[in-house]
């Protein structure tokens, strides 16, 4: 088995994990199950990052998404008694939703196939030292701004969740 | 079919799934999960564009790192808002918060 075939096999495997996880994430009645589906999709995406020679991104994906965001959403599920509301959408309504959600991806896919891009035969590894230097040199403004955004989000969450003693 | 198209196809698939979930879900937490799916697809698409074309790979990886940071910030705020809604109205469904007071 040569390298190209191995890469294609792994790509198919990871895509399958993403597809199965994604379907579970949007269709499971229990929110805990849909969260498990989301985590599977996130791990599949981490595999795709490894496949396109970006191991740092794969690590960050697992660290940030699976480690932080998933735990946060699990907290939200536990604190709100996670069920997906009562009542179901009619078959026609479901069809309309599917059509509406396919509209934008189909348009973007059309744009993608119309554009002619020269692609590299094999993705090259960006050294993690270069990433660090760029983060503190060329893109330092974005780096500082995302820190401020994260801090404001955290402070906002604390303010929102804060309960006044004389409430109501 | 080259590799770039394949990666973009996967991220478009994630976008479609996320849009579907965002519209079909009734609970706010379910909608948050769908948004995370879409953001995940966006980061994947950005990284694929940088790694598989002549564009700067470092720029692409740092951009999708930015997307991940924004996703984390958004999840934090959404969690706080969902908690407040659940405390005030008893449940976290999108139907319960559909009316303004006045």
């Amino acid at each position: 088995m040569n390298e190209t075939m191995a890469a294609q096999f792994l790509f198919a495997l990871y895509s399958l994990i993403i597809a199965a996880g994604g379907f579970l994430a949007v269709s499971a009645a229990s929110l805990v199950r849909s969260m498990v589906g989301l985590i599977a999709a996130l791990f599949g995406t981490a595999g795709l990052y490894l496949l396109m020679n970006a191991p740092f991104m794969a690590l960050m994906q697992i660290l940030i998404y699976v480690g932080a965001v998933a735990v946060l959403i699990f907290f939200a599920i536990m604190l709100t008694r996670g069920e997906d509301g009562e009542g179901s959408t009619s078959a026609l309504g479901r069809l309309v939703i599917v059509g509406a959600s396919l509209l934008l991806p189909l348009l973007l896919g059309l744009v993608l196939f119309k554009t002619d891009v020269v692609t590299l035969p094999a993705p090259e590894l960006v050294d993690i030292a270069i990433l660090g230097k760029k983060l503190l040199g060329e893109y330092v403004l974005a780096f500082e701004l995302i820190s401020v955004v994260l801090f404001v989000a955290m402070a906002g969450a604390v303010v929102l969740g804060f309960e006044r003693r004389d409430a109501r | 079919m080259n590799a770039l198209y394949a990666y973009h196809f996967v991220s478009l698939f994630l976008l479609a799934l996320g849009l579907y979930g965002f519209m079909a879900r009734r609970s706010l937490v379910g909608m948050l999960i769908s948004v995370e799916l879409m953001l995940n697809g966006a980061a994947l698409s950005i990284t694929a564009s940088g790694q598989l074309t002549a564009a700067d790979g470092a720029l692409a990886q740092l951009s999708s790192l930015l997307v991940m940071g924004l996703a984390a910030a958004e999840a934090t705020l959404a969690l706080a808002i969902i908690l407040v809604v659940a405390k005030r109205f008893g449940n976290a469904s999108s139907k319960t918060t559909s009316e303004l007071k006045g």
Side-chain angles (χ1 to χ4, degrees):
Chain A
M1 195 147 93
N2 58 17
E3 262 178 46
T4 322
M5 258 180 71
Q8 278 168 351
F9 172 74
L10 282 176
F11 182 86
L13 180 71
Y14 295 144
S15 307
L16 206 67
I17 292 174
I18 290 178
F23 271 120
L24 191 63
V26 297
S27 63
S30 151
L31 282 178
V32 177
R33 283 192 193 150
S34 96
M35 203 51 224
V36 171
L38 176 65
I39 291 174
L42 295 178
F43 267 114
T45 314
L48 285 186
Y49 282 139
L50 281 181
L51 211 55
M52 62 172 95
N53 219 346
F56 175 66
M57 290 311 297
L59 195 69
M60 282 298 125
Q61 167 92 2
I62 292 172
L63 213 65
I64 297 178
Y65 267 117
V66 184
V69 174
V71 173
L72 264 182
I73 299 178
F74 263 124
F75 265 108
I77 294 172
M78 292 305 161
L79 289 168
T80 58
R81 280 174 258 91
E83 69 275 353
D84 191 36
E86 63 281 346
S88 59
T89 320
S90 64
L92 183 68
R94 212 159 272 277
L95 209 66
V96 170
I97 292 177
V98 169
S101 61
L102 280 179
L103 211 60
L104 183 64
L106 282 181
L107 190 70
L108 288 176
L110 197 69
V111 171
L112 181 69
F113 277 107
K114 287 278 176 199
T115 46
D116 208 16
V117 199
V118 183
T119 59
L120 302 179
E124 48 188 282
L125 179 69
V126 179
D127 194 30
I128 199 164
I130 296 175
L131 285 178
K133 284 211 181 83
K134 290 215 168 183
L135 209 51
L136 288 178
E138 208 174 331
Y139 307 121
V140 69
L141 184 65
F143 180 64
E144 294 297 334
L145 277 179
I146 193 73
S147 323
V148 172
V149 166
L150 277 168
F151 172 69
V152 169
M154 209 170 62
V158 170
V159 169
L160 278 175
F162 194 76
E163 236 178 315
R164 251 178 259 124
R165 193 96 21 110
D166 55 336
R168 263 177 281 173
Chain B
M1 180 96 170
N2 61 34
L4 182 68
Y5 286 167
Y7 284 112
H8 277 293
F9 177 74
V10 173
S11 72
L12 284 176
F13 177 73
L14 279 172
L15 173 66
L17 270 182
L19 281 173
Y20 171 79
F22 192 74
M23 287 184 269
R25 280 286 185 196
R26 280 153 198 284
S27 67
L28 295 175
V29 181
M31 290 163 81
L32 178 62
I33 290 175
S34 308
V35 171
E36 294 300 330
L37 268 185
M38 284 192 270
L39 283 170
N40 190 40
L44 179 68
S45 163
I46 293 172
T47 311
S49 306
Q51 287 292 99
L52 295 166
T53 63
D56 186 10
L59 173 61
Q61 294 193 23
L62 292 177
S63 311
S64 54
L65 209 58
L66 191 84
V67 172
M68 282 182 197
L70 284 177
E74 172 256 5
T76 317
L77 267 187
L79 167 71
I81 292 171
I82 288 169
L83 279 188
V84 170
V85 167
K87 219 185 288 170
R88 286 245 171 111
F89 299 92
N91 62 4
S93 164
S94 55
K95 284 263 156 54
T96 53
T97 49
S98 58
E99 276 179 29
L100 291 173
K101 193 176 167 186

